[in-house]
Amino acid sequence: LSQSSVACTALVVEDDLANRALVRRVLEDEGLSVREAANGREALERIAAERPDVIVLDLLMPEMDGFELVSHLDRRPDWRSIPIVILTVKDLDQDDRRKLTRETVTVIQKGPAGRRQLLASVRSLLHAPPTAEAIPTDDHMTTGDMRVEYPAG
């Protein structure tokens, strides 16, 4: 995805270890360098140590949820522009959407099309050209509510 020799960095913020591992694998397969955090507090520490190029965020987490993390990011001018892709099972109501009004947020429902949408969103947010990929639908992995498809091979 990177236009230079330095890999883009993604921070995956997800409390479910299995989902975090799946998202990590998908992003690493795309050439991203991936960091992880189990909640919003850990994410703030990771961002302070190394500002990521994109954040993949679950909204429903203990300690500090995704809404609170976005609020913290918006208070810091140097972090406000970090693009965020939200992966959630939550049906967002108007109040939820108001909390996520920043231009750099993309919301994706966890489910069968999750991987394809995640990759398209990350590419778009990082301004990378789309790549052709053949993803057979009969070879997939399911964890929780998120189904991630992998190429046969």
Side-chain angles (χ1 to χ4, degrees), residues 28-138:
E28 285 179 341
D29 286 349
E30 279 295 299
L32 276 84
S33 174
V34 179
R35 308 289 180 268
E36 297 180 18
N39 59 56
R41 287 199 199 296
E42 280 185 27
L44 289 173
E45 293 171 11
R46 302 281 188 284
I47 295 165
E50 179 185 5
R51 185 185 189 278
D53 296 300
V54 65
I55 297 171
V56 178
L57 176 64
D58 181 28
L59 289 177
L60 306 176
M61 298 177 290
E63 272 188 68
M64 180 189 290
D65 67 19
F67 293 106
E68 194 175 346
L69 176 60
V70 170
S71 176
H72 276 276
L73 294 174
D74 285 345
R75 286 185 225 136
R76 294 269 312 258
D78 53 332
W79 292 355
R80 199 175 293 142
S81 64
I82 301 171
I84 300 172
V85 176
I86 293 172
L87 283 175
T88 188
V89 295
K90 181 175 176 36
D91 286 325
L92 301 181
D93 59 27
Q94 281 187 327
D95 186 47
D96 293 334
R97 291 191 183 278
R98 260 193 300 276
K99 295 176 192 172
L100 303 172
T101 56
R102 55 184 2 238
E103 290 179 27
T104 58
V105 169
T106 303
V107 178
I108 299 172
Q109 289 297 120
K110 290 180 180 177
R115 178 181 190 261
R116 213 170 274 121
Q117 289 178 330
L118 173 63
L119 292 176
S121 295
V122 168
R123 285 182 191 127
S124 172
L125 290 168
L126 296 176
H127 308 293
T131 58
E133 58 182 289
I135 304 173
T137 56
D138 61 335

Side-chain angles (χ1 to χ4, degrees), residues 13-22 38 58 60-61 110 143-144:
V13 187
E14 163 73 68
D15 61 316
D16 183 274
L17 184 61
N19 281 345
R20 203 166 60 233
L22 283 171
D58 181 28
L60 306 176
M61 298 177 290
K110 290 180 180 177
T143 297

